[in-house]
Structure formats: C-alpha cells, structure tokens
Amino acid sequence: MERWKGRVALVTGASVGIGAAVARALVQQGMRVVGCARNVDKIELAAECQSAGYSGTLIPYKCDLSNEEEILSMFSAIKTLHKGVDVCINNAGLAHNEPLLSGKTEGWRNMIDVNVLALSICTREAYKSMKERNVDDGHIININSMGGHRMVPSADEHFYCATKYAVTALTEGIRQELREANTHIRATCISPGIVETEFAFRHHNSDPEKAAAVYESMKCLKAEDIASAVTFVLSAPPHVQIGDVQMRPVEQVS
C-alpha cells in the first residue's frame, strides 16, 4: 500500500457499515479519502481518524447519488480541491422489499439509480479524472454482493439481485474497455455474502426481528473483513488484475 500514500480515494456510502470501514482502512494507510453520503453528519470518522494518529485524512462530502448533478458537482469539487480521483470505491447500495410481481416502480427505480447508474456515473467520472492527469495505475473497485452471482430464493431480494448481477456485468465491461484503451487502470469486483451491518435493518425496516434473525443465524462477515479485501486488492502488484473476489461466512449455505 506504500504507493497509495497521499493519493486520493473516493468512497461512496461512507457514513456507516462497509463504506465507513473501507474509508477508515484507507486513511490508516495514508490516503486522502473523500467519503460521500447523503448525510455527512453521520460521517464521524474524520475526528476519529485524526485522534488515532492515522497518516491519511478523511474529507466528508454530502452527495445524493440518485442525483447525477450532485455526483458531477462532487467530482468537480474533488478536482478543484484535490486535483482528482486515483481510486474509486463504489460502495453505496440499497435494497427495497419490492418483488417482481407486486413491487412498486418507485422502489425499483431507486435501486437502479443508486446500485447501477450512480456506480456507472462515478466510474465514468473517475476514469475521466485519471486520464486528464495521466494517471495510469488507478483502480476502480465495485462493492458487489454474492447476490450478483446467484439468485436468492426470496421475492424481497429478486430485484436487488438483478441490480447486483448488473454490477457483475458492468465490472467485466469496465475491465474490457480499460484494456481496449490500453491503460493499466484496473477494475475489481468484491462480492460479499452476509455482512453484519445496518443493511438488513434498513432492508427489513418494518420487521426488525427478521433483520436481527439474519445476523443471529450464523457468524457473519464484518465490515472490516470487506475493508481488508479492498486493501488486499489495492496492494496487489500493478501487473496483477484481480477480477472478482467472492467471500462469505463459512456457515453461509448459498
């Protein structure tokens, strides 16, 4: 990770869970991390990282990823204040209980806006930033899900899984386009199974007992496990392309 010290990483959805753990890990490694979230008041890591004496810095940034104009404004601000993005961690994602046969279009659209379109827009803008500055060793890391590789047998999850299947396809498409562009910028997909965060409680917001049961059924992955996977991917030698990291709890069946 030595070569990443002082360089700029964007982490979306950085206020809680996996995003917060990734942001903390990168600051600890000496990176300048722009952590974006809809509510920057929840990004409490900046003071924590400073008091811990980490060599990097965390810069909270308010951004609604369902709004393209806000995303473009964020990249413009990063360019002005920090020159640009060297590493883009597309972590933000959400799920709604909207089955395919009875779900509301609004919920489907929100999942597409955040899980697919925002990821694609951030990737495009990060690549532009790298090319403008002749950065040829940048990295785009998409935090995916095991739901992007197999369909969960639960109607509440089907549309969400479809958006994550899109992330799997998009990551491979990005990798191919980067090769066509004759660049050494890399693209990686990290696909966790069940991770103990606030995710299930947001997904099952009307049934907290159901959410709690998800995490009580096994020893789940921790957000820090995913952060460790991110640093592993970033620390790989520049000639090594890690395409997809699939990880799940030992006790998880599917």
Side-chain angles (χ1 to χ4, degrees), residues 38 64-67 91-94 108-120:
R38 284 175 298 177
D64 178 358
L65 291 169
S66 65
N67 185 322
N91 164 74
L94 50 82
W108 294 345
R109 184 175 289 115
N110 189 219
M111 284 186 272
I112 289 175
D113 283 346
V114 176
N115 300 0
V116 180
L117 287 178
L119 177 147
S120 300

Side-chain angles (χ1 to χ4, degrees), residues 24-35:
R24 182 187 296 108
L26 297 184
V27 171
Q28 193 170 3
Q29 294 292 338
M31 296 193 74
R32 289 183 289 155
V33 177
V34 178

Side-chain angles (χ1 to χ4, degrees), residues 149-221:
H149 301 276
R150 84 283 188 269
M151 186 60 70
V152 176
S154 169
D156 290 346
E157 312 283 348
H158 289 161
F159 198 94
Y160 168 76
C161 285
T163 67
K164 290 302 185 177
Y165 266 83
V167 173
T168 301
L170 287 167
T171 306
E172 175 58 15
I174 293 163
R175 187 195 68 80
Q176 291 186 16
E177 290 190 25
L178 289 170
R179 297 292 70 75
E180 291 170 7
N182 197 30
T183 175
H184 292 90
I185 297 168
R186 296 178 290 179
T188 299
C189 184
I190 296 178
S191 302
I194 298 176
V195 186
E196 188 173 356
T197 64
E198 80 302 328
F199 188 88
F201 290 97
R202 289 182 175 180
H203 184 35
H204 302 294
N205 57 5
S206 61
D207 191 351
E209 290 185 3
K210 183 176 181 179
V214 172
Y215 298 141
E216 292 169 359
S217 63
M218 69 185 78
K219 184 173 176 57
C220 301
L221 297 177

Side-chain angles (χ1 to χ4, degrees), residues 52-254:
Y54 296 157
S55 55
T57 55
L58 177 66
I59 305 101
Y61 194 94
K62 180 179 172 59
C63 181
D64 178 358
L65 291 169
S66 65
N67 185 322
E68 182 176 7
E69 290 305 313
E70 290 199 21
I71 297 174
L72 297 180
S73 177
M74 174 176 67
F75 273 90
S76 177
I78 293 172
K79 180 178 180 178
T80 300
L81 299 172
H82 309 288
K83 296 185 179 179
V85 172
D86 301 307
V87 173
C88 180
I89 313 287
N90 288 308
N91 164 74
L94 50 82
H96 296 297
N97 295 335
E98 303 293 356
L100 299 175
L101 300 183
S102 60
K104 297 183 180 63
T105 306
E106 179 184 5
W108 294 345
R109 184 175 289 115
N110 189 219
M111 284 186 272
I112 289 175
D113 283 346
V114 176
N115 300 0
V116 180
L117 287 178
L119 177 147
S120 300
I121 295 167
C122 286
T123 296
R124 181 190 67 201
E125 297 305 310
Y127 175 69
K128 284 182 181 179
S129 174
M130 295 173 198
K131 291 299 291 181
E132 286 174 357
R133 296 172 296 122
N134 296 315
V135 170
D136 194 46
D137 65 343
H139 211 133
I140 296 159
I141 299 177
N142 295 328
I143 305 300
N144 196 359
S145 166
M146 286 302 298
H149 301 276
R150 84 283 188 269
M151 186 60 70
V152 176
S154 169
D156 290 346
E157 312 283 348
H158 289 161
F159 198 94
Y160 168 76
C161 285
T163 67
K164 290 302 185 177
Y165 266 83
V167 173
T168 301
L170 287 167
T171 306
E172 175 58 15
I174 293 163
R175 187 195 68 80
Q176 291 186 16
E177 290 190 25
L178 289 170
R179 297 292 70 75
E180 291 170 7
N182 197 30
T183 175
H184 292 90
I185 297 168
R186 296 178 290 179
T188 299
C189 184
I190 296 178
S191 302
I194 298 176
V195 186
E196 188 173 356
T197 64
E198 80 302 328
F199 188 88
F201 290 97
R202 289 182 175 180
H203 184 35
H204 302 294
N205 57 5
S206 61
D207 191 351
E209 290 185 3
K210 183 176 181 179
V214 172
Y215 298 141
E216 292 169 359
S217 63
M218 69 185 78
K219 184 173 176 57
C220 301
L221 297 177
K222 302 294 185 184
E224 290 74 19
D225 297 324
I226 317 308
S228 294
V230 169
T231 56
F232 165 75
V233 166
L234 286 173
S235 62
H239 69 284
V240 176
Q241 168 71 62
I242 300 174
D244 188 7
V245 178
Q246 295 185 27
M247 52 196 298
R248 69 185 97 188
V250 171
E251 299 172 38
Q252 185 174 342
V253 176
S254 62

